[in-house]
Structures are given as C-alpha cells and as structure tokens.
Amino acid sequence: RESGGAGLGLALVAETVRRRGGTVSVGDSPEGGARFEVRWPASPW
C-alpha cells in the first residue's frame, strides 16, 4: 500500500455484513485488479 490508513476497512465491512447474515468475498476482476462481492439477505418486510 502506498498511502496511509489502518487497513481495517474491509475487516469492518466483512464483520458487519456477517453479523447480518451476509457474506463478503474477493476475487480477480476481469478488467484487472480486485473484485469485491457483498451478498446481503433480502429484507423480510
């Protein structure tokens, strides 16, 4: 990493999503770089 930051952003997102029944995954993007996928359950209302 070239600039500042604590590196906690993705960990916080992953834990927040997990606590609400979702998932976060990362893989390669077809365009290059990373692709992040967040899956969140549909609202029951």
Side-chain angles (χ1 to χ4, degrees), residues 8-29:
L8 294 174
L10 185 56
L12 291 172
V13 168
E15 181 62 15
T16 301
V17 171
R18 184 193 66 78
R19 287 181 181 212
R20 287 161 177 77
T23 61
V24 177
S25 60
V26 63
D28 293 329
S29 170

